[in-house]
Amino acid sequence: MRTIADTLLENNISWKYYGEGWKTFVTHPSTSVYCNICNPFLYETAIMSNPTLVAAHLQDTPNLYSDIAHGTLPAVSFVKPGGLLDGHPSSSKFGLYEGFVHKIIDSVQANPALWASTAIFITTDEGGGYYDSGYIQPVDFFGDGPRIPLIVVSPYSRGGRVVHDYSDHVSLVKFIERNWSLGHITSRSRDNLPNPVELPASPYVPTNAPAIGDLFSAFQFPPAKQSAADNGNEGAAGMLPF
């Protein structure tokens, strides 16, 4: 199965998946805090059968902090904390996850050149079973599910407001594809869904369902940057969905 990694590789767009505990997972998996089921690229034959790709694109969080400090982050970065910091109640606390995120944001903002072209997306994988009365859209056979947090941190994000576009984890993929003018992963993947059209009286409920947003409504780029982003030339050059 193809992933967004294939699209990025085919278009020479740099990317990395930084997973905390990767180094110990490779050598002593039974003692590592690494979350193997959280890394989609770990299950793609085209990636894992190529040692060069593995070394270049699957790395640990010390590599993340080094790349931030030296301004060498790839264009697209995925970051996943280990089991002790991921906020899951069985092994962690959400305050520890917040601290993990806070450290990364502070590090990026300490590098003005990097901060000027970076968008950080902070989210979780699910809601922990808590009830949510929000609208759930039947986007395909597999779902969707209850709402989860998504916070956008960027010089161009519209701070202090809630974006009411209906989005999904795949909206992160749609953001990448729009920002770099890329095609869909496959002809049947969820990133083929259109952006939602919603009425003011019914936020979150697309009139053109099934539809999911590409997260661009969370930003307010200057006109020149907005045009460049739509042409795949500028915009959010570094993306860190957590």
Side-chain angles (χ1 to χ4, degrees), residues 3 13 18 34 46 55 70 89 91 118 131 134 177 187 190 197 227 240:
T3 67
I13 297 172
Y18 300 95
Y34 189 79
H70 294 93
S91 61
T118 298
Y131 177 78
E177 292 171 345
S187 61
R190 196 175 284 185
V197 176
S227 175
L240 307 170

Side-chain angles (χ1 to χ4, degrees), residues 90-164:
S90 62
S91 61
S92 180
K93 296 181 179 180
F94 209 78
L96 296 174
Y97 172 69
E98 291 175 332
F100 177 86
V101 173
H102 202 296
K103 177 180 178 179
I104 294 173
I105 293 174
D106 284 349
S107 299
V108 172
Q109 291 180 332
N111 186 329
L114 182 61
W115 170 239
S117 62
T118 298
I120 302 175
F121 297 87
I122 307 162
T123 190
T124 57
D125 58 354
E126 34 84 5
Y130 290 99
Y131 177 78
D132 175 38
S133 60
Y135 172 71
I136 298 177
Q137 181 185 187
V139 293
D140 55 31
F141 176 82
F142 296 101
D144 237 347
R147 292 178 296 184
I148 57 171
L150 174 69
I151 300 173
V152 179
V153 181
S154 163
Y156 301 105
S157 62
R158 304 178 183 184
R161 65 184 291 267
V162 176
V163 175
H164 294 284

Side-chain angles (χ1 to χ4, degrees), residues 23-208:
K23 290 183 179 178
T24 54
F25 176 73
V26 172
T27 56
H28 301 88
S30 62
T31 62
S32 179
V33 298
Y34 189 79
C35 179
N36 59 315
I37 64 172
C38 301
N39 179 358
F41 313 116
L42 198 64
Y43 298 89
E44 184 179 358
T45 303
I47 301 295
M48 298 309 296
S49 61
N50 188 327
T52 300
L53 289 181
V54 172
H57 300 286
L58 303 188
Q59 298 187 4
D60 212 322
T61 45
N63 302 105
L64 168 69
Y65 302 130
S66 176
D67 286 344
I68 292 175
H70 294 93
T72 55
L73 274 179
V76 177
S77 303
F78 301 92
V79 183
K80 176 66 176 68
L84 300 180
L85 299 179
D86 63 7
H88 277 273
S90 62
S91 61
S92 180
K93 296 181 179 180
F94 209 78
L96 296 174
Y97 172 69
E98 291 175 332
F100 177 86
V101 173
H102 202 296
K103 177 180 178 179
I104 294 173
I105 293 174
D106 284 349
S107 299
V108 172
Q109 291 180 332
N111 186 329
L114 182 61
W115 170 239
S117 62
T118 298
I120 302 175
F121 297 87
I122 307 162
T123 190
T124 57
D125 58 354
E126 34 84 5
Y130 290 99
Y131 177 78
D132 175 38
S133 60
Y135 172 71
I136 298 177
Q137 181 185 187
V139 293
D140 55 31
F141 176 82
F142 296 101
D144 237 347
R147 292 178 296 184
I148 57 171
L150 174 69
I151 300 173
V152 179
V153 181
S154 163
Y156 301 105
S157 62
R158 304 178 183 184
R161 65 184 291 267
V162 176
V163 175
H164 294 284
D165 289 353
Y166 191 102
S167 298
D168 174 273
H169 282 106
V170 180
S171 294
L172 297 166
V173 172
K174 289 190 65 175
F175 179 90
I176 296 172
E177 292 171 345
R178 176 174 174 180
N179 196 57
W180 282 278
S181 297
L182 306 174
H184 302 308
I185 297 176
T186 69
S187 61
R188 64 182 182 86
S189 48
R190 196 175 284 185
D191 54 330
N192 285 270
L193 295 178
N195 284 343
V197 176
E198 297 159 335
L199 299 176
S202 301
Y204 303 118
V205 183
T207 61
N208 59 333

